[in-house]
Amino acid sequence: MKVLVVGGGGREHAICWKLAQSPKVGELYCAPGNAGIAQIAQCVDIAAEDIDGICTFASENSIDLAVIGPEVPLAMGIVDELESKGVKVFGPNRKCSQLEASKSFTKSFLERHNIPTAGYKEFTDKDELLNAVGIYGYPMVIKADGLAAGKGVVIAENEVDARMAIEEMMGQKVFGAAGDKVVVEEFLTGIEASMLCFVDETSIIPMESAQDYKRIFDGDKGPNTGGMGTYSPSLVFTPQLEKQIKEQILEPTLKGFQDDGLDFKGVLFIGLMISDDGPKVIEFNNRFGDPETQSVLPRLDSDLLDIFMAVTENKLADVNIKWRKEKAVCVVAASGGYPGSYEKNKVIGGLDKVDEDVIVFHAGTSKKDTSELGCADENKEGCKGRSHMATVTSGGRVLGVTALGTTHEEAKAKAYDNIRRIRFEGMQYRKDIGIVNSEK
């Protein structure tokens, strides 16, 4: 089969890496891809948001299956466009993609179908919201309604911080049109966890669980990021909790999709808060989580292509999905300054020093001629005046180093041992990914 993966981050590298293991995949393409993906797939220089370009490529190259990674092209309706050209697509259509593209759409869905979630109110007028500051007390959860690359959520500890966040979202438009509407939620306490589910029109099947670390600094300090690491499986998920989630969240969600005419086909990412009152939904996303995917897919023992095809044909219930027993830990190496402003084109060294059984998923990388960029080699004198292609940074989150082990501790030790062998100017990473305790 000819398969096209749309996107160019760590999530898409993990998807390509797993698809490349399928004997049924003949040709694997990725648009636009990155330096790591280029080692296992043919990268195509088409942006993920270039719907027309991707549709043209898919038609001209007789693509059998397109897999959509990022949320933006999903919200733009890429699935609808590709399907109109006769291409099978793994991913939800434009209507279903509102579950991620609009926080208020999801909150309304959850409330309508009696699915546990935080209380909320939505605002389109800045002054009205400023007058409602502290409506649920503090901390105050303030969310830009639209897509904001995983950064549109502020948890304000006091009134000053809340007013500042509102001014930035609705006044300064730091998230653009995503902040035209703002959702304010009751602050939930408990343990955050993530659950990824394969979904078609008749089934919802959870994958192995994962635990995400959103804040930039150790101990969950600092601003939110797209995710600084994960481990899988999450130790939060006991059999009793999984039963609760199935009965109170998964089954009502699938029935809600059916009742509302949402023919969801793809991955539903459920952000959860495990509170004293039981599990509650924080958010829905329409796609594989990033970096959850980088710790979950290495533990998948089934052919990913079989699962994707079953979803597109509404035959998910017929697939027996198997998982490896090993634990996984993924640690993200990010650019200096991230999640704020950061410099690009920093040469990455040490990738050839990583153990063979450790996977380095590329997120923000590209290939460039280093004659004007300097060199990350220890012998920098050897690079002077010498032109050669090297892997360089091109994004905020640069790499995800994933290791497997018989225990979480073994996987964690292996991941950190290997990430220390990698270097680039300004590189930062959390030192507490995979540390398992009652507070995480």
Side-chain angles (χ1 to χ4, degrees):
M1 291 182 64
K2 291 184 176 181
V3 181
L4 169 65
V5 176
V6 174
R11 165 185 49 223
E12 288 75 32
H13 191 178
I15 292 169
C16 286
W17 173 83
K18 193 63 187 177
L19 284 173
Q21 297 170 21
S22 171
K24 299 171 186 175
V25 174
E27 296 177 41
L28 183 58
Y29 301 91
C30 189
N34 60 41
I37 295 173
Q39 299 171 23
I40 53 174
Q42 184 175 328
C43 290
V44 184
D45 189 17
I46 304 174
E49 295 83 9
D50 183 356
I51 310 298
D52 291 339
I54 287 169
C55 287
T56 299
F57 177 85
S59 296
E60 291 179 350
N61 290 273
S62 303
I63 295 299
D64 297 300
L65 175 69
V67 180
I68 315 303
E71 61 273 21
V72 173
L74 287 170
M76 292 171 66
I78 189 172
V79 172
D80 310 68
E81 293 300 317
L82 283 167
E83 287 183 340
S84 73
K85 304 289 191 295
V87 180
K88 284 189 175 181
V89 190
F90 180 85
N93 59 26
R94 185 200 298 266
K95 185 178 180 182
C96 295
S97 293
Q98 293 177 88
L99 288 161
E100 179 166 4
S102 170
K103 306 286 192 308
S104 61
F105 181 89
T106 293
K107 296 298 287 190
S108 175
F109 173 88
L110 294 168
E111 188 176 70
R112 186 165 58 253
H113 296 289
N114 298 311
I115 298 167
T117 189
Y120 79 103
K121 288 193 176 181
E122 51 189 74
F123 299 84
T124 54
D125 181 87
K126 185 182 74 169
D127 291 334
E128 184 183 347
L129 176 51
L130 286 170
N131 288 332
V133 162
I135 187 171
Y136 292 116
Y138 297 97
M140 182 176 176
V141 181
I142 307 166
K143 296 183 176 181
D145 181 63
L147 296 175
K151 302 170 193 169
V153 178
V154 174
I155 301 174
E157 298 291 341
N158 51 56
E159 182 178 346
V160 173
D161 290 348
R163 290 183 176 278
M164 185 183 303
I166 293 164
E167 180 59 40
E168 289 177 347
M169 277 189 200
M170 302 192 83
Q172 300 171 23
K173 299 290 185 185
V174 294
F175 301 118
D180 289 348
K181 181 188 289 186
V182 167
V183 172
V184 174
E185 292 186 11
E186 168 194 9
F187 179 76
L188 296 178
T189 58
I191 302 172
E192 275 194 60
S194 308
M195 177 173 277
L196 301 171
C197 301
F198 291 114
V199 184
D200 68 7
E201 292 177 23
T202 61
S203 304
I204 181 165
I205 299 178
M207 302 180 212
E208 287 285 273
S209 59
Q211 193 89 17
D212 183 23
Y213 295 69
K214 281 288 186 192
R215 303 290 186 111
I216 184 67
F217 300 126
D218 290 7
D220 285 337
K221 306 294 184 185
N224 272 334
T225 71
M228 291 301 293
T230 56
Y231 75 86
S232 175
S234 168
L235 297 184
V236 171
F237 285 82
T238 63
Q240 180 185 359
L241 178 60
E242 288 178 346
K243 183 173 183 289
Q244 263 188 301
I245 292 171
K246 179 183 178 184
E247 294 174 353
Q248 298 175 17
I249 295 173
L250 301 189
E251 291 174 354
T253 294
L254 182 61
K255 187 177 186 302
F257 288 168
Q258 294 166 344
D259 292 347
D260 291 1
L262 296 172
D263 51 344
F264 194 106
K265 288 193 276 190
V267 169
L268 181 69
F269 170 110
I270 307 175
L272 297 165
M273 180 66 77
I274 313 304
S275 69
D276 291 339
D277 300 328
K280 295 186 179 183
V281 175
I282 300 174
E283 63 177 352
F284 279 158
N285 293 330
N286 304 312
R287 34 74 192 179
F288 279 104
D290 188 343
E292 288 89 349
T293 308
Q294 292 91 301
S295 63
V296 170
L297 285 188
R299 301 186 56 235
L300 179 64
D301 206 26
S302 299
D303 190 321
L304 186 60
L305 182 67
D306 287 344
I307 301 172
F308 284 171
M309 292 303 295
V311 168
T312 66
E313 298 166 1
N314 284 316
K315 296 178 180 178
L316 180 58
D318 299 336
V319 180
N320 181 23
I321 302 175
K322 298 179 180 178
W323 299 92
R324 299 172 62 174
K325 292 182 179 179
E326 290 99 328
K327 321 302 181 187
V329 171
C330 173
V331 183
V332 170
S335 295
Y338 175 80
S341 59
Y342 53 86
E343 295 181 357
K344 300 181 181 180
N345 297 322
K346 302 300 182 183
V347 181
I348 303 169
L351 292 173
D352 58 340
K353 303 292 195 300
V354 173
D355 292 336
E356 287 186 9
D357 63 343
V358 170
I359 315 152
V360 179
F361 291 118
H362 289 231
T365 67
S366 61
K367 285 282 189 181
K368 287 213 171 174
D369 190 311
T370 62
S371 57
E372 298 180 3
L373 296 176
C375 186
D377 289 344
E378 291 174 3
N379 179 17
K380 295 191 178 184
E381 292 297 316
C383 282
K384 283 189 174 178
R386 180 160 61 89
S387 174
H388 63 278
M389 298 301 291
T391 303
V392 302
T393 65
S394 64
R397 292 184 295 171
V398 179
L399 303 166
V401 178
T402 299
L404 294 170
T406 55
T407 65
H408 289 91
E409 290 72 20
E410 181 184 323
K412 171 181 171 287
K414 191 183 296 184
Y416 276 107
D417 178 50
N418 279 268
I419 200 171
R420 285 191 288 267
R421 306 176 195 182
I422 299 169
R423 62 195 176 278
F424 56 85
E425 185 183 334
M427 173 175 156
Q428 59 170 330
Y429 59 90
R430 282 183 58 160
K431 312 300 188 298
D432 60 349
I433 307 300
I435 292 179
V436 181
N437 57 49
S438 60
E439 297 177 356
K440 182 61 215 159

